[in-house]
Amino acid sequence: MSDGTVELVLGVDSGGSGLRLALGAVDPRYPVRTAVCAEPVRTGAAGIDAAHLLEQVLPEVRRLLEEAGPGAVVTAAAIGAAGMATLGDRLRAELPAALASALGIGRLALAADAVTAYAGALGQRPGAVVAGGTGMIALGTDLSTWRRADGWGHLLGDSGGGAWIGREGLAAAMRAHDGRRGGSPALLERLETVFGPAAGLPGLLYPRTDRPALLASFAPEVAACAGTDGTAATILRRAAAHVAEAAAAVCPDPAEHHTEAYEIALTGGLFRMGEALLGPVREELAEQVPQARLVPAAGDPLHGSLEIARALAGAGLRLPLHPALLFVPGVT
């Protein structure tokens, strides 16, 4: 700007395993400064702790602004958070005024992490994204409304996600331990290498508050066995079918919008397990969603937060607003 002000945008990604932020220009061609905060944002009975998020984010933003030089200001921000849809009341109530007061931010979006995953993977184009990690959720849009499938946690869903794969693998190992049909000696061997004697697994697993993460930690062992073990390969094929089923449920119908096809992207650590999972996923998508084209994800949820902030500051946000999924104060 002519008065020396440099307008920047802020993206924040708050997940169960960490808190990251990025500061960049509206023009994506310019460099982005990033920071990783000390710990994940706390969640309590009242939901996501807005004060804990602010006490970590604000010092890092101020530090990055100093690095950006005199005249640097944040004009728009987007904060993506795991649990925003159901636990984000405090964020929606407290962050707009706090960020306006501390940083002068007048344009703000608060988004579920599935939305920032979508924006990071596909930008503001219609389509569908499957985000897989410990859990699994699919989100799709025709740019008029959102469609969601799964993401209901390891007891009610997350079918095909890391915890689901790990649980199925451990169950097959325990069947082998008992001598029951459907067991996998290969997975039993991996169980005992990773966790110790099979009979001790329930005592290790059930008391844990991070049970989904512990289950998911066994998913790579299932993938490692899939090349030589039929039971492990079957588990991954079933996981792939769940992934494609969720994508099919949220992908826009081309017939309704007079278009030939939409794009689907896969994002998250689950899909870094390699061809043992990706091969069956591609086959299942081709069968269940033949009208869609699988494309690489352009970026991750932090990149998606930054893209949403850029849209607020620039040409405009085209992703559909939603009180729980994508909230813009004063607009939603």
Side-chain angles (χ1 to χ4, degrees), residues 20-53:
R20 305 179 297 156
L21 57 93
L23 195 66
V26 175
D27 188 334
R29 294 175 298 177
Y30 288 91
V32 172
R33 291 176 170 84
T34 61
V36 178
C37 296
E39 58 183 311
V41 177
R42 291 189 295 261
T43 299
I48 302 169
D49 189 334
H52 190 224
L53 184 146

mmCIF file of all heavy atoms in Angstrom, residues 20-53:
data_model
loop_
_atom_site.group_PDB
_atom_site.id
_atom_site.type_symbol
_atom_site.label_atom_id
_atom_site.label_comp_id
_atom_site.label_asym_id
_atom_site.label_seq_id
_atom_site.Cartn_x
_atom_site.Cartn_y
_atom_site.Cartn_z
ATOM 1 N N ARG A 20 -0.266 -24.996 14.888
ATOM 2 C CA ARG A 20 0.639 -24.368 13.934
ATOM 3 C C ARG A 20 -0.002 -23.111 13.370
ATOM 4 O O ARG A 20 -1.228 -22.984 13.351
ATOM 5 C CB ARG A 20 0.957 -25.312 12.771
ATOM 6 C CG ARG A 20 1.507 -26.675 13.174
ATOM 7 C CD ARG A 20 1.748 -27.530 11.932
ATOM 8 N NE ARG A 20 0.511 -27.802 11.216
ATOM 9 C CZ ARG A 20 0.432 -28.105 9.918
ATOM 10 N NH1 ARG A 20 1.533 -28.160 9.186
ATOM 11 N NH2 ARG A 20 -0.742 -28.359 9.346
ATOM 12 N N LEU A 21 0.832 -22.186 12.891
ATOM 13 C CA LEU A 21 0.289 -21.002 12.249
ATOM 14 C C LEU A 21 1.177 -20.595 11.095
ATOM 15 O O LEU A 21 2.355 -20.947 11.028
ATOM 16 C CB LEU A 21 0.107 -19.865 13.254
ATOM 17 C CG LEU A 21 1.329 -19.395 14.038
ATOM 18 C CD1 LEU A 21 1.997 -18.224 13.332
ATOM 19 C CD2 LEU A 21 0.915 -18.972 15.438
ATOM 20 N N ALA A 22 0.595 -19.838 10.172
ATOM 21 C CA ALA A 22 1.309 -19.353 8.994
ATOM 22 C C ALA A 22 0.896 -17.924 8.718
ATOM 23 O O ALA A 22 -0.283 -17.574 8.838
ATOM 24 C CB ALA A 22 1.007 -20.238 7.780
ATOM 25 N N LEU A 23 1.861 -17.102 8.349
ATOM 26 C CA LEU A 23 1.622 -15.696 8.027
ATOM 27 C C LEU A 23 2.136 -15.450 6.624
ATOM 28 O O LEU A 23 3.306 -15.715 6.325
ATOM 29 C CB LEU A 23 2.352 -14.795 9.030
ATOM 30 C CG LEU A 23 1.955 -13.323 9.094
ATOM 31 C CD1 LEU A 23 0.527 -13.175 9.607
ATOM 32 C CD2 LEU A 23 2.920 -12.548 9.982
ATOM 33 N N GLY A 24 1.241 -14.983 5.755
ATOM 34 C CA GLY A 24 1.633 -14.771 4.373
ATOM 35 C C GLY A 24 0.896 -13.608 3.754
ATOM 36 O O GLY A 24 0.016 -13.002 4.369
ATOM 37 N N ALA A 25 1.271 -13.304 2.522
ATOM 38 C CA ALA A 25 0.613 -12.234 1.785
ATOM 39 C C ALA A 25 -0.662 -12.753 1.126
ATOM 40 O O ALA A 25 -0.873 -13.961 1.008
ATOM 41 C CB ALA A 25 1.564 -11.678 0.725
ATOM 42 N N VAL A 26 -1.505 -11.810 0.696
ATOM 43 C CA VAL A 26 -2.702 -12.206 -0.041
ATOM 44 C C VAL A 26 -2.302 -12.907 -1.329
ATOM 45 O O VAL A 26 -2.922 -13.894 -1.739
ATOM 46 C CB VAL A 26 -3.588 -10.975 -0.327
ATOM 47 C CG1 VAL A 26 -4.781 -11.365 -1.195
ATOM 48 C CG2 VAL A 26 -4.070 -10.342 0.976
ATOM 49 N N ASP A 27 -1.253 -12.437 -1.966
ATOM 50 C CA ASP A 27 -0.729 -13.070 -3.172
ATOM 51 C C ASP A 27 0.057 -14.324 -2.767
ATOM 52 O O ASP A 27 1.084 -14.234 -2.099
ATOM 53 C CB ASP A 27 0.190 -12.098 -3.906
ATOM 54 C CG ASP A 27 0.614 -12.617 -5.277
ATOM 55 O OD1 ASP A 27 0.642 -13.851 -5.467
ATOM 56 O OD2 ASP A 27 0.933 -11.791 -6.148
ATOM 57 N N PRO A 28 -0.393 -15.521 -3.164
ATOM 58 C CA PRO A 28 0.262 -16.757 -2.715
ATOM 59 C C PRO A 28 1.664 -16.959 -3.273
ATOM 60 O O PRO A 28 2.359 -17.884 -2.853
ATOM 61 C CB PRO A 28 -0.689 -17.853 -3.204
ATOM 62 C CG PRO A 28 -1.431 -17.242 -4.341
ATOM 63 C CD PRO A 28 -1.567 -15.785 -4.003
ATOM 64 N N ARG A 29 2.110 -16.105 -4.196
ATOM 65 C CA ARG A 29 3.445 -16.263 -4.757
ATOM 66 C C ARG A 29 4.535 -15.810 -3.783
ATOM 67 O O ARG A 29 5.701 -16.142 -3.957
ATOM 68 C CB ARG A 29 3.569 -15.473 -6.065
ATOM 69 C CG ARG A 29 2.695 -16.001 -7.193
ATOM 70 C CD ARG A 29 2.764 -15.107 -8.401
ATOM 71 N NE ARG A 29 2.264 -13.753 -8.099
ATOM 72 C CZ ARG A 29 2.264 -12.757 -8.976
ATOM 73 N NH1 ARG A 29 2.740 -12.951 -10.196
ATOM 74 N NH2 ARG A 29 1.786 -11.572 -8.635
ATOM 75 N N TYR A 30 4.147 -15.044 -2.762
ATOM 76 C CA TYR A 30 5.137 -14.517 -1.833
ATOM 77 C C TYR A 30 5.408 -15.513 -0.704
ATOM 78 O O TYR A 30 4.563 -16.341 -0.380
ATOM 79 C CB TYR A 30 4.669 -13.170 -1.287
ATOM 80 C CG TYR A 30 4.746 -12.074 -2.328
ATOM 81 C CD1 TYR A 30 3.660 -11.785 -3.156
ATOM 82 C CD2 TYR A 30 5.923 -11.341 -2.505
ATOM 83 C CE1 TYR A 30 3.727 -10.797 -4.124
ATOM 84 C CE2 TYR A 30 6.000 -10.350 -3.468
ATOM 85 C CZ TYR A 30 4.912 -10.078 -4.283
ATOM 86 O OH TYR A 30 4.985 -9.107 -5.245
ATOM 87 N N PRO A 31 6.591 -15.422 -0.080
ATOM 88 C CA PRO A 31 6.952 -16.396 0.963
ATOM 89 C C PRO A 31 5.994 -16.370 2.148
ATOM 90 O O PRO A 31 5.392 -15.340 2.464
ATOM 91 C CB PRO A 31 8.360 -15.941 1.390
ATOM 92 C CG PRO A 31 8.872 -15.132 0.255
ATOM 93 C CD PRO A 31 7.678 -14.475 -0.359
ATOM 94 N N VAL A 32 5.885 -17.516 2.812
ATOM 95 C CA VAL A 32 5.038 -17.679 3.991
ATOM 96 C C VAL A 32 5.942 -17.967 5.188
ATOM 97 O O VAL A 32 6.861 -18.774 5.096
ATOM 98 C CB VAL A 32 4.037 -18.832 3.786
ATOM 99 C CG1 VAL A 32 3.281 -19.129 5.076
ATOM 100 C CG2 VAL A 32 3.067 -18.499 2.663
ATOM 101 N N ARG A 33 5.665 -17.300 6.298
ATOM 102 C CA ARG A 33 6.381 -17.562 7.548
ATOM 103 C C ARG A 33 5.500 -18.471 8.409
ATOM 104 O O ARG A 33 4.307 -18.223 8.534
ATOM 105 C CB ARG A 33 6.679 -16.257 8.284
ATOM 106 C CG ARG A 33 7.698 -15.370 7.594
ATOM 107 C CD ARG A 33 7.868 -14.040 8.332
ATOM 108 N NE ARG A 33 8.998 -13.279 7.815
ATOM 109 C CZ ARG A 33 8.939 -12.492 6.745
ATOM 110 N NH1 ARG A 33 7.794 -12.346 6.102
ATOM 111 N NH2 ARG A 33 10.021 -11.839 6.329
ATOM 112 N N THR A 34 6.105 -19.493 8.998
ATOM 113 C CA THR A 34 5.339 -20.441 9.803
ATOM 114 C C THR A 34 5.938 -20.563 11.196
ATOM 115 O O THR A 34 7.106 -20.219 11.428
ATOM 116 C CB THR A 34 5.311 -21.830 9.141
ATOM 117 O OG1 THR A 34 6.649 -22.333 9.029
ATOM 118 C CG2 THR A 34 4.668 -21.765 7.763
ATOM 119 N N ALA A 35 5.133 -21.056 12.112
ATOM 120 C CA ALA A 35 5.581 -21.297 13.483
ATOM 121 C C ALA A 35 4.802 -22.474 14.050
ATOM 122 O O ALA A 35 3.640 -22.718 13.683
ATOM 123 C CB ALA A 35 5.371 -20.062 14.355
ATOM 124 N N VAL A 36 5.444 -23.203 14.946
ATOM 125 C CA VAL A 36 4.812 -24.316 15.658
ATOM 126 C C VAL A 36 4.773 -23.939 17.134
ATOM 127 O O VAL A 36 5.795 -23.589 17.725
ATOM 128 C CB VAL A 36 5.590 -25.628 15.466
ATOM 129 C CG1 VAL A 36 4.936 -26.752 16.263
ATOM 130 C CG2 VAL A 36 5.684 -25.987 13.990
ATOM 131 N N CYS A 37 3.588 -23.992 17.734
ATOM 132 C CA CYS A 37 3.426 -23.611 19.136
ATOM 133 C C CYS A 37 3.801 -24.785 20.055
ATOM 134 O O CYS A 37 3.994 -25.908 19.605
ATOM 135 C CB CYS A 37 2.001 -23.149 19.395
ATOM 136 S SG CYS A 37 1.578 -21.644 18.470
ATOM 137 N N ALA A 38 3.870 -24.474 21.344
ATOM 138 C CA ALA A 38 4.448 -25.415 22.302
ATOM 139 C C ALA A 38 3.608 -26.666 22.491
ATOM 140 O O ALA A 38 4.148 -27.757 22.678
ATOM 141 C CB ALA A 38 4.657 -24.717 23.642
ATOM 142 N N GLU A 39 2.281 -26.553 22.457
ATOM 143 C CA GLU A 39 1.455 -27.709 22.791
ATOM 144 C C GLU A 39 0.079 -27.576 22.144
ATOM 145 O O GLU A 39 -0.339 -26.479 21.759
ATOM 146 C CB GLU A 39 1.299 -27.833 24.310
ATOM 147 C CG GLU A 39 0.683 -26.618 24.979
ATOM 148 C CD GLU A 39 0.607 -26.764 26.490
ATOM 149 O OE1 GLU A 39 0.122 -27.819 26.939
ATOM 150 O OE2 GLU A 39 1.017 -25.838 27.206
ATOM 151 N N PRO A 40 -0.650 -28.686 22.029
ATOM 152 C CA PRO A 40 -2.013 -28.607 21.505
ATOM 153 C C PRO A 40 -2.903 -27.768 22.412
ATOM 154 O O PRO A 40 -2.658 -27.653 23.619
ATOM 155 C CB PRO A 40 -2.475 -30.070 21.483
ATOM 156 C CG PRO A 40 -1.226 -30.874 21.546
ATOM 157 C CD PRO A 40 -0.239 -30.067 22.321
ATOM 158 N N VAL A 41 -3.934 -27.182 21.831
ATOM 159 C CA VAL A 41 -4.874 -26.385 22.610
ATOM 160 C C VAL A 41 -5.703 -27.311 23.497
ATOM 161 O O VAL A 41 -6.197 -28.347 23.055
ATOM 162 C CB VAL A 41 -5.792 -25.573 21.674
ATOM 163 C CG1 VAL A 41 -6.821 -24.785 22.485
ATOM 164 C CG2 VAL A 41 -4.957 -24.616 20.826
ATOM 165 N N ARG A 42 -5.851 -26.907 24.744
ATOM 166 C CA ARG A 42 -6.612 -27.722 25.696
ATOM 167 C C ARG A 42 -8.099 -27.716 25.344
ATOM 168 O O ARG A 42 -8.645 -26.740 24.834
ATOM 169 C CB ARG A 42 -6.424 -27.185 27.119
ATOM 170 C CG ARG A 42 -5.030 -27.380 27.686
ATOM 171 C CD ARG A 42 -5.007 -27.031 29.161
ATOM 172 N NE ARG A 42 -5.276 -25.616 29.389
ATOM 173 C CZ ARG A 42 -4.321 -24.710 29.602
ATOM 174 N NH1 ARG A 42 -3.047 -25.068 29.602
ATOM 175 N NH2 ARG A 42 -4.644 -23.449 29.824
ATOM 176 N N THR A 43 -8.740 -28.826 25.664
ATOM 177 C CA THR A 43 -10.188 -28.949 25.534
ATOM 178 C C THR A 43 -10.742 -29.435 26.860
ATOM 179 O O THR A 43 -10.232 -30.396 27.438
ATOM 180 C CB THR A 43 -10.566 -29.946 24.424
ATOM 181 O OG1 THR A 43 -10.040 -29.470 23.180
ATOM 182 C CG2 THR A 43 -12.080 -30.063 24.306
ATOM 183 N N GLY A 44 -11.773 -28.748 27.361
ATOM 184 C CA GLY A 44 -12.373 -29.116 28.630
ATOM 185 C C GLY A 44 -13.875 -29.231 28.523
ATOM 186 O O GLY A 44 -14.435 -29.330 27.417
ATOM 187 N N ALA A 45 -14.542 -29.202 29.666
ATOM 188 C CA ALA A 45 -15.996 -29.356 29.696
ATOM 189 C C ALA A 45 -16.700 -28.257 28.920
ATOM 190 O O ALA A 45 -17.790 -28.463 28.376
ATOM 191 C CB ALA A 45 -16.476 -29.368 31.147
ATOM 192 N N ALA A 46 -16.086 -27.064 28.858
ATOM 193 C CA ALA A 46 -16.691 -25.938 28.145
ATOM 194 C C ALA A 46 -16.291 -25.899 26.672
ATOM 195 O O ALA A 46 -16.673 -24.975 25.954
ATOM 196 C CB ALA A 46 -16.313 -24.627 28.819
ATOM 197 N N GLY A 47 -15.519 -26.884 26.222
ATOM 198 C CA GLY A 47 -15.114 -26.923 24.828
ATOM 199 C C GLY A 47 -13.659 -26.534 24.644
ATOM 200 O O GLY A 47 -12.854 -26.602 25.580
ATOM 201 N N ILE A 48 -13.303 -26.120 23.447
ATOM 202 C CA ILE A 48 -11.928 -25.735 23.131
ATOM 203 C C ILE A 48 -11.588 -24.463 23.895
ATOM 204 O O ILE A 48 -12.348 -23.492 23.893
ATOM 205 C CB ILE A 48 -11.768 -25.520 21.620
ATOM 206 C CG1 ILE A 48 -12.155 -26.796 20.850
ATOM 207 C CG2 ILE A 48 -10.336 -25.136 21.279
ATOM 208 C CD1 ILE A 48 -12.283 -26.598 19.350
ATOM 209 N N ASP A 49 -10.439 -24.444 24.540
ATOM 210 C CA ASP A 49 -10.031 -23.344 25.415
ATOM 211 C C ASP A 49 -9.494 -22.184 24.574
ATOM 212 O O ASP A 49 -8.333 -22.208 24.122
ATOM 213 C CB ASP A 49 -8.971 -23.850 26.385
ATOM 214 C CG ASP A 49 -8.642 -22.851 27.483
ATOM 215 O OD1 ASP A 49 -8.822 -21.648 27.259
ATOM 216 O OD2 ASP A 49 -8.190 -23.292 28.558
ATOM 217 N N ALA A 50 -10.318 -21.163 24.390
ATOM 218 C CA ALA A 50 -9.925 -20.021 23.561
ATOM 219 C C ALA A 50 -8.737 -19.279 24.153
ATOM 220 O O ALA A 50 -7.838 -18.825 23.430
ATOM 221 C CB ALA A 50 -11.113 -19.070 23.391
ATOM 222 N N ALA A 51 -8.709 -19.121 25.479
ATOM 223 C CA ALA A 51 -7.607 -18.399 26.127
ATOM 224 C C ALA A 51 -6.283 -19.119 25.915
ATOM 225 O O ALA A 51 -5.247 -18.476 25.681
ATOM 226 C CB ALA A 51 -7.892 -18.227 27.612
ATOM 227 N N HIS A 52 -6.292 -20.441 25.987
ATOM 228 C CA HIS A 52 -5.061 -21.207 25.772
ATOM 229 C C HIS A 52 -4.582 -21.069 24.344
ATOM 230 O O HIS A 52 -3.365 -20.977 24.083
ATOM 231 C CB HIS A 52 -5.311 -22.676 26.123
ATOM 232 C CG HIS A 52 -4.066 -23.496 26.171
ATOM 233 N ND1 HIS A 52 -3.983 -24.751 25.610
ATOM 234 C CD2 HIS A 52 -2.839 -23.239 26.707
ATOM 235 C CE1 HIS A 52 -2.768 -25.237 25.803
ATOM 236 N NE2 HIS A 52 -2.051 -24.344 26.470
ATOM 237 N N LEU A 53 -5.496 -21.042 23.382
ATOM 238 C CA LEU A 53 -5.110 -20.819 21.994
ATOM 239 C C LEU A 53 -4.474 -19.442 21.830
ATOM 240 O O LEU A 53 -3.406 -19.303 21.224
ATOM 241 C CB LEU A 53 -6.323 -20.973 21.078
ATOM 242 C CG LEU A 53 -6.069 -20.860 19.563
ATOM 243 C CD1 LEU A 53 -7.004 -21.771 18.788
ATOM 244 C CD2 LEU A 53 -6.226 -19.426 19.063
#
